[in-house]
Amino acid sequence: MTGETYSLPMVALRGLTILPEEVRHFDVSREKSLQAIEEAVKNGQKLFVSAQKDLEIEEPGAEDVYLVGCVVTIRQVVKLPKKMSRVLVSGEVRASLVRMDSETPYLQATVVELPDDEVVSGEREEDDPMNREAMIRGLQDVFKEYLLKNPKLSKELGMQVESIHDLKYLTDVIAANMPFSFEDAQELLEETNVMRRYELLVYKIVNEIQAQKVKEEIQSKVKERVDKNQREYILREELKVIREELGDDNTMSDADEFQQAADALKASKEVKEKLNKEIKRFRNSMNSPAETGVIRTYIETMLEMPWDKTCKEHKDIAFARQVLDEDHYGLEKVKERVLEYLAVRALTKKGEAPIICLVGPPGTGKTSIAKSLSRALKKPYVRISLGGVRDEAEIRGHRKTYVGAMPGRIANGMKQAGVKNPLMLLDEIDKVSNDYKGDTFSALLEVLDGEQNNKFVDHYLEVPMDLSEVLFITTANSLQTIPRPLLDRMEVIEVTSYTENEKLHIAQEHLIPKQIEKHGLKADQLTISKNAIWKMARNYTKEAGVRQLERKIGDICRKSAMEILEKKKKSIHVTERNMEHYLGKELYSYQMANEEDEVGIVRGLAWTSVGGDTLQIEVNMMPGEGEILLTGQLGDVMKESARTGISYIRSVSKEHDITDDFFKKHDIHIHIPEGAVPKDGPSAGITMATAIMSAVTGRKVRADLAMTGEITLRGRVLPIGGLKEKLLAAKNAGMKTVLVPAKNERDVEEISTEITKGLEIKFVTHMNEVLKEALV
Ligand code: ADP
């Protein structure tokens, strides 16, 4: 199907294709074009326009233009300066150049209209009205999406497009209004098939949208990057200003100060080199406040360490003795041992003398001895509590790479002391334990080992520190949990529990005056009678040392101070009778001897962390199948003692007229009541065996008799420890006779008569003797 053919003036367009339905203006300057327009205006305003293939050609002929162009109507011609005109045209219909009629004085061409190719067979999908509607909507939606991203295109256009229901017209309108390149427009112009033109258009618009999205993404990324740099720059500038405002603009001079201090520091070359390096890093880190902070802390710590600073060593043993005597009552042996140690230390080279370990129950003056020793030697005193330390890093420090890293306790202690030869008390060394985070003990070993500790390296400080001149003193409640290698480094000095008489003296001579002063009282304002002190020690406290006693005295002082102020009392006298007023009800009463002899109940003696205690062992026999039941506060060692006791008794059952199948037909139940303080240890062996024998034979046990001793399978009695505390407990409980292993005889001789007086101590070597004494 071909359209009308006619001859029209023609203009070749450069970089522009005009589509039907397009309204558009373009500028014309070429003489030929100007004349063609003039001619067209004269003859019905129609003009044929076609795009030039090569933009550079000045005088294009038929072969230099696209054959397919557009017939347009000229709407307006505006003359511009320099012989130029601006022409407003509207595209009418596609047309193809048939031939060039003339090329001068302007182009005149014969063209043939290209009608739209719309197949109306009804067989194709697009011809279905439903499909057409869907296609129209699809194109409208795509165009709307495009409009959203391109608000420059008018809103009216959107509305106009909404109202079009003809697919061909819609395609043309949208194509005419899209800002396509002239190549794209040319493609659309040449496509006479409406369906294909539709597809081409949708494809081009979607492409356009996609390209725009990519462009936006890139733009926003670029913007983000620019913003971030900008932000950092601004923040840094602000920081600078804030620093200036605060008068804190001295990061530079801090570094100089550090350098000065480092130069003046008395320390090894290694330390100084490390410091210089860090100061350099500090200078270079000024733009990163987090890093600056970390380095600053490190440098400050390093500068505070007593690398080569020492205090004078006082070696006056007589003065030391005087100080120790002044501060402590009793403890003769301990003081003597400490003074001996000082004498040896004064004579030997540093690092050779072993380390003192004061072992004993809490409150017996271990810390206090260390403190007065520091006074005696005029050395700075630092106490490092090791109780509960499980992590090696607590001793040796965290590596600097950790967030919030710190030096370990030893390095910290040295910093506190301020000299490299202080007295350092490592308190409760027996309470240290290992966990998965490394070996706490080996770290301690390194600290205490005279061969290694001149080069102790804290993980945080990273440079070796000399600990060889430190006077280490350690304390422990018991030696059991201290590993052997560590124990070997130490000279153990035992501090034992106090008797009531000693407690009385300590209270009168030390604790009471100390507490009175501490509470701002005067000596004549508060007096505490001797009996009151005794009562306090016996019924208000239960301990080997005097810590609780001191606290109770403190309580009395506080209450007295209040009464003196409030009730205007002149002075207060605390006696046994008005004690309750100051301390409330009695807290403890000793488990006294049973009134009567009984079957299956025996009084044993135990050593616990708070001193000695008596423990009553009960055994019951019941018909059964030979089971052994153990209940109460029994540790593993006690359980083994119980089994050993039973085996021994079974082995001697004939001698005691026990029938062969007795143990098969009876269950044995062993119980230890009253277990506030856990007790363990082998020393209840003979006690349990006696109780079992009593239960089995039905013979009663003496109520006023207590015993202690380990038992072997053959019934031999082995020696035990903690005799002093145990005898003390027996005496307090009102016992008359105590059975003690014969091997402990020498220990008894050392115990003061204050304790042994009134107690009948019988030495035993074998269970036979025990049973003879105990069973009635
Ligand atoms: P530990 O370190 O053995 O647990 P402390 O040294 O802390 O015990 O002693 C507790 C309190 O008892 C301290 O105030 C201490 O001065 C005092 N103290 C202990 N024993 C005596 C003593 N023999 N003479 C004077 N005061 C003592």
Side-chain angles (χ1 to χ4, degrees), residues 92 187 210 227 367 461 558 580 593 602 673 709 717 719 743 769:
E92 301 290 338
E187 240 183 289
Q210 209 59 39
D227 281 356
T367 320
L461 296 180
R558 220 170 312 126
E580 220 173 285
V602 184
V717 180
K743 291 245 170 72
E769 298 159 43

Side-chain angles (χ1 to χ4, degrees), residues 327-331 360-369 427 475 477 495 498 506 510-511 514-515 545-547 550:
D327 290 352
H328 296 96
Y329 171 87
L331 295 176
T364 45
K366 299 181 297 294
T367 320
S368 170
I369 286 176
D427 214 1
T475 78
N477 287 149
V495 186
Y498 294 123
I506 294 172
H510 295 275
L511 304 181
K514 219 160 59 179
Q515 289 296 321
V546 290
R547 197 174 287 169
E550 187 172 22

Side-chain angles (χ1 to χ4, degrees), residues 573-684:
H573 184 61
V574 181
T575 63
E576 218 176 340
R577 258 165 287 123
N578 65 5
M579 178 131 267
E580 220 173 285
H581 171 70
Y582 291 97
L583 291 178
K585 285 241 171 318
E586 285 179 12
L587 297 174
Y588 305 99
S589 61
Y590 274 88
Q591 191 191 12
M592 299 306 276
N594 292 343
E595 309 258 300
E596 279 178 36
D597 303 343
E598 280 185 71
V599 172
I601 296 185
V602 184
R603 190 66 71 111
L605 296 171
W607 184 89
T608 71
S609 59
V610 295
D613 203 354
T614 67
L615 81 168
Q616 184 161 288
I617 293 180
E618 300 177 351
V619 177
N620 259 356
M621 287 289 161
M622 349 173 227
E625 292 162 345
E627 258 188 68
I628 299 163
L629 265 163
L630 299 160
T631 55
Q633 279 273 356
L634 282 106
D636 289 341
V637 182
M638 270 202 189
K639 285 181 187 159
E640 283 188 8
S641 299
R643 287 177 192 280
T644 315
I646 292 169
S647 297
Y648 166 73
I649 289 169
R650 290 179 65 170
S651 72
V652 297
S653 53
K654 277 227 170 64
E655 297 160 33
H656 294 268
D657 297 332
I658 304 167
T659 51
D660 283 350
D661 54 359
F662 182 91
F663 288 97
K664 259 196 208 139
K665 291 185 176 163
H666 289 85
D667 287 349
I668 306 174
H669 186 170
I670 303 172
H671 179 68
I672 303 185
E674 266 204 27
V677 184
K679 306 167 187 82
D680 198 12
S683 66

Side-chain angles (χ1 to χ4, degrees), residues 405-693:
M406 285 187 305
R409 294 192 186 202
I410 302 290
N412 235 337
M414 293 299 281
K415 195 174 91 179
Q416 254 175 40
V419 291
K420 67 186 284 200
N421 56 347
L423 186 152
M424 191 177 274
L425 179 73
L426 301 177
D427 214 1
E428 303 197 305
I429 200 162
D430 57 331
K431 302 285 191 308
V432 171
S433 60
N434 279 332
D435 73 354
Y436 64 97
K437 279 186 186 150
D439 196 348
T440 335
F441 283 116
S442 66
L444 272 180
L445 205 58
E446 210 184 303
V447 171
L448 296 180
D449 187 346
E451 311 249 302
Q452 297 182 43
N453 68 4
N454 59 344
K455 286 216 171 328
F456 174 77
V457 180
D458 182 279
H459 285 331
Y460 178 81
L461 296 180
E462 292 174 351
V463 273
M465 180 167 45
D466 183 7
L467 299 179
S468 62
E469 290 177 47
V470 179
L471 172 57
F472 285 109
I473 294 185
T474 62
T475 78
N477 287 149
S478 106
L479 297 178
Q480 273 167 15
T481 52
I482 305 178
R484 196 73 227 179
L486 200 55
L487 203 54
D488 286 347
R489 294 258 138 259
M490 303 190 286
E491 181 178 333
V492 174
I493 300 180
E494 214 173 325
V495 186
T496 51
S497 23
Y498 294 123
T499 63
E500 277 176 14
N501 192 30
E502 281 168 335
K503 286 185 186 176
L504 174 74
H505 281 285
I506 294 172
Q508 281 178 328
E509 290 162 31
H510 295 275
L511 304 181
I512 297 175
K514 219 160 59 179
Q515 289 296 321
I516 284 182
E517 196 191 324
K518 200 170 148 197
H519 287 84
L521 297 170
K522 286 195 196 79
D524 56 357
Q525 282 177 314
L526 173 67
T527 46
I528 303 177
S529 80
K530 199 166 148 185
N531 283 342
I533 298 173
W534 253 317
K535 194 175 167 70
M536 246 194 291
R538 199 171 296 164
N539 300 117
Y540 286 88
T541 65
K542 190 179 178 106
E543 59 175 345
V546 290
R547 197 174 287 169
Q548 285 179 38
L549 186 63
E550 187 172 22
R551 221 169 281 153
K552 292 289 164 197
I553 294 170
D555 288 350
I556 294 179
C557 289
R558 220 170 312 126
K559 202 132 194 192
S560 308
M562 210 175 73
E563 285 187 355
I564 287 169
L565 282 180
E566 207 173 22
K567 301 190 181 151
K568 308 278 180 262
K569 284 195 182 177
K570 271 235 165 69
S571 66
I572 286 170
H573 184 61
V574 181
T575 63
E576 218 176 340
R577 258 165 287 123
N578 65 5
M579 178 131 267
E580 220 173 285
H581 171 70
Y582 291 97
L583 291 178
K585 285 241 171 318
E586 285 179 12
L587 297 174
Y588 305 99
S589 61
Y590 274 88
Q591 191 191 12
M592 299 306 276
N594 292 343
E595 309 258 300
E596 279 178 36
D597 303 343
E598 280 185 71
V599 172
I601 296 185
V602 184
R603 190 66 71 111
L605 296 171
W607 184 89
T608 71
S609 59
V610 295
D613 203 354
T614 67
L615 81 168
Q616 184 161 288
I617 293 180
E618 300 177 351
V619 177
N620 259 356
M621 287 289 161
M622 349 173 227
E625 292 162 345
E627 258 188 68
I628 299 163
L629 265 163
L630 299 160
T631 55
Q633 279 273 356
L634 282 106
D636 289 341
V637 182
M638 270 202 189
K639 285 181 187 159
E640 283 188 8
S641 299
R643 287 177 192 280
T644 315
I646 292 169
S647 297
Y648 166 73
I649 289 169
R650 290 179 65 170
S651 72
V652 297
S653 53
K654 277 227 170 64
E655 297 160 33
H656 294 268
D657 297 332
I658 304 167
T659 51
D660 283 350
D661 54 359
F662 182 91
F663 288 97
K664 259 196 208 139
K665 291 185 176 163
H666 289 85
D667 287 349
I668 306 174
H669 186 170
I670 303 172
H671 179 68
I672 303 185
E674 266 204 27
V677 184
K679 306 167 187 82
D680 198 12
S683 66
I686 62 168
T687 322
M688 278 192 268
T690 309
I692 296 163
M693 188 57 114

